Structures are given as structure tokens and as C-alpha cells.
Amino acid sequence: MSMCIDSKKMDSSPRPQTTLNQSAAAQSSISRVSKKLLDEICVGLACDAELIRDKLVEDQKNLAVVSIVGMGGLGKTTLAAKVFNDGYVKHHFHVRVWVTVSPTYDKRDVLIQIMESIHAQLDLEKTNDSRLRELVHKHLFGKRYLIVIDDIWDVETWDNVGLFFPRDNTGSRILLTTRLTEVAKHANSNGLIHHLGYLNKERSWELLCQKVFQGSECPEWSIKPGMQIVEKCQGLPLALVVVGGVLAKEAWSEMLWVEIAKKTSSYIVGERNGCLEALGLSYNHLPLHLRECFLYLGGFREDYKFQVKKLIWLWVAEGFIQEDGNRSLEDIAEGYLTDLIDRNLLTVARRSKSNGGVKACQMHDLVRELCLKKAKEEQFILDTERIILSSQFSNVITPPYKSVRFFVKGDIYDQEFALRSILCNSYTSYLSDGTSKYVCSFCLLRVLNLENYMLDNFPYNMKMLVHLRYLAIRKYSGGFPSSICNLLSLQTLIYVRIGSIVLPSNISDLVNLRHLLSDRWGTFHFFPTKKPMKLQTISKVELHGGVDNFQKCFPYIKQLTCTTNKRKQNDFKCLTYLENLKLTVDGKTRVTFPATLKTLTLSGCALPWSDMSIIQSLPNLQVLKLSRSAFEGSCWNTNDEHVFQQLKFLRFESLDIKQWEAYSPSFPCLRRLEIFSCGNLEEIPFEIGYIPTLELIKIKRCKYSVGESVRRIEEEQHDLGNFDLRIDIIQEI
């Protein structure tokens, strides 16, 4: 028996009143409007549809789950419908059922949808839930069925719905669409999870033309404003369909297209039951502990790339992170960020090449519009061109239990408004002494980010900001202001200044300070303190008195970038929390490391290659970067007695090594190998190609013979059927 379900008819047909409450009906109404728009999105899905179809019909008897994951408006439902109505899929499955699960999930409604799809005649008034479940199981048992569960929102819903379907080894399949990676992984961690991405410019333009011109040739004058519209829609199909709908309703004219290109965002946002409503469901389904973190992002400028570490520190300073056992607040906040990415409300903008961790993330412009709209509705943030006299804000003062946060794009002027946070987004403006003094009048401030302003002088009365937890400033000249050491609540201090920054002797008074950073041009000079600090992160520090004092000064340090002139012995083994170390030494030295180390960068240590056994013994080391005389000697023999147990990333840069002998068992986990500017090296060991996890060998500014050896490795691996290994050779010499 073959069942054919018309998805458009299914979306528009009303459900029996006895099965839906008013809330569910309201959600369904919004969902139907969004899906009607999405039904028109067919461009660029052919390859995705083929991949999913092949997975659904493959020769596997047990029940399998395939998931389509992506943010609202990408066309997940359209892709699922394309596969659902594929001719081969219709032929392959005896029964096909489409079920839409709204955020306000109702078990009875799902059962009724299934029974309606298989045309079962029921008296709903007399059929209870238990009987419905029995009937569903009976009608599906023994048949090869395909169930599409569209728009599933949480793992609990899957746990309930998944029980309805018989697992009788008939080759049946379940296809899920969801915005949440967590749901897809929970449904079947070993099944195909297909992440649907944004359209590229070519596909976006094709979709826009399809919507507006409907097969007719597009006028030449439409290309320039049309590509501007494409740019502003940022590859989101639903946005392109909404704007295309506006253009299709009007007479074609270049003037109209130019006007709409300038106001694309307003057309998208203003579309009733359009993009924001579709995306708004993601916000409505956010757990409470994530809402503040999400709303906070709306105050940053469009296309802003959030540096993950700084964003996490801001969240902690704002008090958004809830304590959870013995885990650090930063670790908990990182979990929050991962959750927002998995919910497709943030996208990864940059990953670490060495360990794959997220270094920067970004928010789609439409998601930002939603975020900013919700944040302003809830008076969570105020986004303004400038802070001016308080009388102009008399109508937006929030209740006492609400925190006011200002995101300022321009200048700051005198006012007496009580604020919790000020984050300034303008670039390299100078902040006058008079203006900076007014900032200090906001005595409840927790966050003050003036990193993009240049301070003439540091205001002495800044010490009055006793609640300040996050301070970022930029100074042109002068020493480190000792008055900062009065800010006892400070957790994060970003002090940007070129050159040496001598820290005062009372820096240890900052008993809550966890992160101390400058930029790449600034170096902190730290003299031994009388009492230990809680620092977890410090950038580019020179500790006078040698490494022996690190344990006394920074017993909890996790990430350390330091330089030292001590050439005899540098013992880091006592730093039992240390995970990331960047060490530069001026001349030969001896070094020991803690077993906790995960990332190690060495420069100038002039160690003999025989000392590599010390590093090989580190049980948790994942990233190793060696540069500029970190090791000296013409030959490194990586004997099979010592194994890099967890090493995933290895880089040589500007080393004098000539010969490298290596064996694949020494690197059981290596994924990426980089060799830069090693002009004496003759070749890469052939054995490296047999490392089963290796994905990339990158060579830059090395001898031609090194490139040749890498090409031989690639050729050999291809002959063995290994096409996962890639090579990248740049500037052979």
C-alpha cells in the first residue's frame, strides 16, 4: 500500500478541535504561514536531497533515524518535503507519514496526525490516547514505513514520540527536522545528521530570480541592486523569498529595485508572519538560563565577530552564569555558548586550527534583529548612538530589579543615569578627561568596555566603581594606574598599551582578578607579590625573579604567555592547573612541564632533541608548536619508545633541523602537521603518511625536496584508497 501525502494540503487543513488547545493552534498558524513561504524554496537543495534520499533507502534492516538540522528559515521543511515526495522514495516505502510537532507538543495530536495520514476512520470522541497508540502500532507493524517528524524541539518529545513506531527490522526510516543539534544526536548519535547551511551568492540570486521573474529572463538593470539584496539576505532562503515576494507584486523598475536594496532589512522585518516570527520560535523555546546570554548579543553591531573568551568573561561579569558544582563559571559559560551554537542562533566564524575549538562566532543579521527587538521589548539593553542627558531617558528607566545596559556607537556625554554596563563600539576615538570623569559617576557599573577609546589620562575617581567586574581600557602613554588596584570586585582587566607595562606592587589586592590581558604589543612586568592571586589567564608577562615565583604568585593559572631570561632551570611542573603555555626564553635552558598541559608553544629555548622525551611523556598534550630555536640540532629521531599519546597538532617553524626520522605509532592521534620556514629540512618522513588520523600536511617556505616528499606521501595514500589526507604546499624554495 502506498500513501501519498500532499504537504501543502496538509499544512492548510485544520486539525480537529478536540485535539488542539488554543496555544498549539496559534503556534500552528504561524508555522503554516512560514511553511507556505518555505514551500517556494527549492533552489540549491538537489545535492542535499540526493544525499538524504540515498541514506533513507540504503540496505539496512533496522529502524534508522536521519536528521536535518539548521536555523529557522533555511528550508529544512522544504528539503524534507522534497525527499518525502521523491518518486523513488514513494516506490520504496509502503507507508509514508508526515507529522508536524510544534513547540507546544501534544501527544494526542501527533497520534491523530498519523492516523489521518493512513486514512484510518476513527471516532475521536470515543478513542482514548492508549487506543490511538495501539492503532498506530498496528497499522505500521510489518510495513516498511517512512515517518517525517517536522520541527521537533526537545529530547523529551522525541523520547515520547519515538515509542509509537514499531522496530521490526523492515528497513523503516524516521526523518527529523530540528533547529537543535542536541535533539538530532539524542535521536540517533550514529545516524546521519545533515546540517543545512546558507545559500551561496549564486544560489541566492537564482532563488530571488525564480521568485520574482518565475522563469522569465531577468533584466540587466536588475543585477546590481539584486546582488545588493542578496548580500543583505546573507544566504537565508526565507529572507530571499520574503523580499522576492515584495518585488514580484510590483511593476518591474530599476528605481524600485534600488530603493528596496537600500531598505532590504526593513522589508524582511516588517513582513507580517514572516522571518522574525519563524525565528522567534527559537527564542521562545530558549531555556531561561540562556535568554540573558542571547539578548546580550543584540547590542553589538551588525556582523560583529564575538571573540569567545571575551564574550564568556562578559557573561560572567554580568552575572548571567549559574554556578554548577565545582565547575568554573567560565567552563559553564562555554557550555552555554555551545548550546546557542547547537540551536543555530550563533554560527561559528573561526575555529582554532590546532584543536578545532571555537575562537569566534557570529550572528546572522536577521537573528540579530530578533535579538535586539526582544532585548528592547524587555528593556534588557538600550542601543544608542550616544549617551546624553538623563532627561531624554526618563521614559525608559526600568524597574529596580531590571539591569540597564548601554551599547554606545558614538560619544558619551554628561548625564546622571544609573547604569549597570557600558560597552562602546566606536573605533579609536579619544575620550577627553572631562568625559571620562562622568563615566565614573555610574557607581553601579559592573562592565565598562572602553577598549576602542584612547584615554589621555586614567580618571583617579575610577576607584569609586567598586562593583566593576570587567574593565577594558586603552592608554596612549603613562604607567599603570595604581588606583585600578582599588577595584576589588574586578574579574577581568584588559589593559591595552604598546610597550612595557610595569604592574604596581599592590596588584595582588585584586583578590577576584581572574584574567589579565594586553594586546600583542604590550608586555606586563610582574614583580613577586606578598600574597597569591586567583589569576587563571595572563598574557605576555615577564616575571622578575624567575619561574620559581610563578607558583607563589599564580597558583591557579590555566593559560600563561611568558618570557624569561633565566637560563638554568624553568620548572613549570608546580603549576598544577596549567593547560596552555606559551614560553619564550632568551638562550639555552632546562624546562619541566605539568601533566595537565594541553597546549605548548616554545620559542628560543635551544633545547636538545633528546629532551623531546620530556614533552612526549605529557599525557594530555594535544597541541605542540615549536619555533625559532625552540630545539637545536640537525636530527630528530622520533623513536617508537616514546609516544605522543594525545597530540593532534604539530608545527615546526624556523628550526634548523635537517633530518627527521619518525614512525607512525609515535603519533596515534595526529590530525594536522605544519612545517614552516625550515630551510635546512630535506624531507618529511614517509612513515608520517601511515598515521590513520592524519588529515592535513601543510608546507610553507621549505625546500622543493620537502614538497616532493609530501607529494609522494599523498600519492601512496591515494593508491591505498586514503583520500582523506590533504596536502597544502606554499612557496617552495
Side-chain angles (χ1 to χ4, degrees):
M1 178 175 65
S2 177
M3 297 294 167
C4 182
I5 313 299
D6 183 342
S7 62
K8 290 187 179 181
K9 181 180 178 182
M10 179 179 63
D11 286 337
S12 59
S13 59
R15 297 276 171 230
Q17 292 298 318
T18 56
T19 65
L20 292 174
N21 56 36
Q22 288 185 345
S23 175
Q27 295 287 357
S28 179
S29 174
I30 293 175
S31 179
R32 285 197 297 271
V33 175
S34 300
K35 286 183 174 60
K36 188 175 180 181
L37 289 170
L38 286 166
D39 280 339
E40 303 176 49
I41 302 169
C42 300
V43 170
L45 295 178
C47 292
D48 304 87
E50 184 178 354
L51 174 67
I52 292 168
R53 182 199 64 195
D54 291 349
K55 191 67 178 176
L56 291 176
V57 301
E58 70 180 5
D59 188 19
Q60 179 183 340
K61 295 300 182 185
N62 59 308
L63 179 64
V65 180
V66 175
S67 302
I68 304 172
V69 179
M71 71 175 284
L74 278 177
K76 300 183 297 297
T77 300
T78 303
L79 176 57
K82 188 176 179 68
V83 174
F84 185 82
N85 292 309
D86 179 86
Y88 188 75
V89 170
K90 289 180 180 180
H91 172 76
H92 182 78
F93 291 100
H94 306 140
V95 178
R96 294 177 303 121
V97 174
W98 186 291
V99 177
T100 300
V101 183
S102 70
T104 52
Y105 156 71
D106 183 278
K107 181 170 64 175
R108 182 176 176 84
D109 179 49
V110 171
L111 290 166
I112 291 171
Q113 287 186 60
I114 297 171
M115 295 305 293
E116 285 180 348
S117 295
I118 55 183
H119 302 311
Q121 298 298 318
L122 289 173
D123 185 346
L124 294 178
E125 295 292 340
K126 297 180 180 179
T127 309
N128 59 28
D129 292 357
S130 178
R131 178 58 178 159
L132 278 173
R133 183 172 168 177
E134 288 177 13
L135 290 170
V136 165
H137 194 275
K138 177 182 176 181
H139 279 82
L140 295 179
F141 188 79
K143 300 181 178 70
R144 186 164 59 239
Y145 59 81
L146 170 64
I147 309 290
V148 175
I149 304 178
D150 185 33
D151 205 20
I152 189 167
W153 281 88
D154 55 57
V155 296
E156 184 181 354
T157 301
W158 165 254
D159 288 339
N160 290 330
V161 172
L163 296 174
F164 300 163
F165 310 118
R167 299 171 182 267
D168 49 357
N169 295 323
T170 56
S172 296
R173 300 288 183 265
I174 296 175
L175 178 60
L176 303 180
T177 73
T178 180
R179 306 184 190 197
L180 311 177
T181 304
E182 177 192 16
V183 173
K185 289 179 178 177
H186 181 78
N188 187 357
S189 58
N190 297 320
L192 174 65
I193 299 177
H194 183 69
H195 291 271
L196 197 57
Y198 299 111
L199 298 177
N200 60 27
K201 289 182 182 179
E202 180 184 350
R203 296 298 186 192
S204 296
W205 172 245
E206 186 181 342
L207 176 57
L208 185 66
C209 289
Q210 177 181 300
K211 173 63 181 171
V212 179
F213 303 114
Q214 300 178 8
S216 301
E217 188 174 349
C218 65
E220 188 173 342
W221 54 258
S222 70
I223 296 176
K224 183 177 179 180
M227 292 307 295
Q228 292 173 348
I229 292 169
V230 162
E231 287 275 355
K232 292 182 179 179
C233 290
Q234 297 183 311
L236 188 66
L238 183 57
L240 289 157
V241 167
V242 168
V243 177
V246 174
L247 292 168
K249 293 173 185 175
E250 304 290 340
W252 298 348
S253 75
E254 184 175 5
M255 186 180 298
L256 173 69
W257 279 59
V258 169
E259 179 188 348
I260 289 181
K262 291 177 181 177
K263 302 176 181 178
T264 298
S265 296
S266 62
Y267 280 100
I268 296 169
V269 174
E271 175 71 13
R272 178 176 172 81
N273 289 330
C275 289
L276 285 194
E277 282 74 8
L279 298 175
L281 293 175
S282 292
Y283 174 77
N284 295 337
H285 209 68
L286 273 179
L288 292 177
H289 69 273
L290 289 181
R291 289 199 178 190
E292 289 183 319
C293 295
F294 174 70
L295 293 177
Y296 195 68
L297 305 178
F300 293 85
R301 62 181 178 273
E302 281 187 14
D303 302 320
Y304 185 81
K305 285 187 172 64
F306 300 96
Q307 293 183 46
V308 166
K309 282 187 178 179
K310 288 185 179 180
L311 178 59
I312 283 173
W313 296 340
L314 282 168
W315 282 351
V316 171
E318 294 281 8
F320 298 156
I321 311 303
Q322 302 172 6
E323 292 188 3
D324 181 12
N326 295 324
R327 296 174 62 201
S328 71
L329 293 176
E330 288 80 2
D331 287 345
I332 298 168
E334 189 172 349
Y336 287 12
L337 181 74
T338 300
D339 202 346
L340 288 173
I341 292 171
D342 285 346
R343 291 170 181 273
N344 293 286
L345 291 170
L346 284 174
T347 58
V348 176
R350 188 172 75 254
R351 288 187 181 274
S352 168
K353 293 178 182 177
S354 54
N355 61 17
V358 180
K359 299 198 75 171
C361 54
Q362 208 166 4
M363 182 177 274
H364 192 284
D365 282 357
L366 283 179
V367 179
R368 179 185 174 274
E369 290 284 351
L370 166 72
C371 184
L372 190 57
K373 179 174 179 284
K374 294 289 185 182
K376 288 181 176 179
E377 284 176 0
E378 299 188 18
Q379 296 184 311
F380 183 81
I381 65 171
L382 295 172
D383 183 36
T384 182
E385 295 295 329
R386 59 183 61 187
I387 295 180
I388 51 178
L389 295 175
S390 59
S391 60
Q392 297 197 20
F393 287 99
S394 58
N395 62 328
V396 293
I397 296 178
T398 58
Y401 58 86
K402 286 271 189 178
S403 300
V404 185
R405 296 168 183 87
F406 262 103
F407 288 77
V408 188
K409 301 186 183 75
D411 300 320
I412 302 175
Y413 289 90
D414 176 19
Q415 58 127 7
E416 299 176 356
F417 193 56
L419 298 177
R420 181 64 60 88
S421 308
I422 298 177
L423 296 94
C424 300
N425 293 324
S426 64
Y427 284 103
T428 58
S429 300
Y430 275 88
L431 204 62
S432 66
D433 291 346
T435 302
S436 58
K437 288 176 183 176
Y438 293 123
V439 173
C440 302
S441 65
F442 310 136
C443 59
L444 297 179
L445 275 182
R446 284 188 177 186
V447 171
L448 179 58
N449 186 353
L450 301 176
E451 190 176 353
N452 291 328
Y453 285 93
M454 189 70 76
L455 285 176
D456 293 331
N457 293 298
F458 189 81
Y460 177 75
N461 58 351
M462 184 77 79
K463 66 181 183 180
M464 304 301 293
L465 302 180
V466 294
H467 297 286
L468 204 61
R469 298 181 183 180
Y470 182 105
L471 174 62
I473 57 174
R474 178 185 297 270
K475 280 198 70 183
Y476 181 73
S477 61
F480 185 92
S482 59
S483 57
I484 287 180
C485 298
N486 293 306
L487 304 174
L488 302 185
S489 298
L490 208 59
Q491 298 170 348
T492 299
L493 174 58
I494 300 173
Y495 186 88
V496 179
R497 182 182 178 278
I498 297 174
S500 298
I501 306 167
V502 179
L503 297 172
S505 58
N506 62 335
I507 188 71
S508 60
D509 290 345
L510 296 175
V511 293
N512 291 299
L513 189 65
R514 298 206 282 258
H515 312 288
L516 176 61
L517 277 82
S518 187
D519 63 1
R520 58 186 296 189
W521 309 113
T523 301
F524 292 113
H525 288 261
F526 206 105
F527 291 88
T529 59
K530 295 180 181 179
K531 51 188 176 183
M533 301 181 68
K534 293 183 180 179
L535 277 172
Q536 297 177 14
T537 309
I538 186 167
S539 70
K540 213 168 181 182
V541 62
E542 183 168 336
L543 184 66
H544 295 266
V547 178
D548 297 340
N549 287 303
F550 270 102
Q551 202 277 333
K552 299 174 185 176
C553 299
F554 318 131
Y556 305 106
I557 199 75
K558 289 185 176 181
Q559 184 170 339
L560 175 64
T561 302
C562 68
T563 60
T564 179
N565 294 319
K566 188 176 180 183
R567 300 186 181 183
K568 291 183 179 179
Q569 179 75 22
N570 289 288
D571 183 9
F572 291 92
K573 191 177 289 186
C574 57
L575 299 177
T576 55
Y577 291 87
L578 190 63
E579 296 180 357
N580 188 323
L581 173 64
K582 295 181 181 179
L583 174 64
T584 302
V585 181
D586 184 14
K588 291 186 177 182
T589 187
R590 301 283 293 179
V591 192
T592 60
F593 306 103
T596 52
L597 210 58
K598 295 181 180 179
T599 299
L600 176 61
T601 305
L602 296 177
S603 178
C605 303
L607 297 167
W609 285 108
S610 58
D611 279 6
M612 183 61 79
S613 59
I614 298 171
I615 297 175
Q616 284 177 297
S617 66
L618 298 174
N620 297 299
L621 189 68
Q622 298 179 19
V623 177
L624 177 60
K625 301 176 184 179
L626 307 174
S627 67
R628 296 175 181 81
S629 302
F631 280 78
E632 288 188 340
S634 60
C635 179
W636 177 29
N637 186 341
T638 314
N639 61 62
D640 54 8
E641 294 179 10
H642 299 284
V643 177
F644 290 96
Q645 299 175 37
Q646 300 292 333
L647 193 69
K648 298 176 182 177
F649 180 97
L650 175 62
R651 177 190 290 165
F652 294 170
E653 185 171 3
S654 301
L655 302 181
D656 64 356
I657 186 172
K658 294 181 180 178
Q659 185 179 359
W660 179 20
E661 297 178 12
Y663 308 92
S664 58
S666 299
F667 303 93
C669 301
L670 191 66
R671 294 180 181 175
R672 186 179 179 116
L673 172 65
E674 295 184 350
I675 311 290
F676 297 162
S677 302
C678 294
N680 295 325
L681 185 64
E682 295 295 335
E683 64 180 11
I684 301 297
F686 198 69
E687 276 278 330
I688 289 292
Y690 292 98
I691 298 173
T693 55
L694 192 62
E695 299 171 354
L696 175 67
I697 302 175
K698 186 172 183 177
I699 308 297
K700 189 174 183 179
R701 293 190 297 272
C702 291
K703 285 183 177 180
Y704 181 78
S705 60
V706 174
E708 277 294 289
S709 67
V710 172
R711 281 185 278 266
R712 285 197 302 272
I713 290 172
E714 181 187 42
E715 183 179 351
E716 169 75 9
Q717 291 303 305
H718 283 184
D719 289 344
L720 295 172
N722 176 15
F723 294 95
D724 294 330
L725 177 62
R726 297 180 293 114
I727 67 170
D728 187 3
I729 302 173
I730 305 170
Q731 296 179 6
E732 292 176 297
I733 57 176

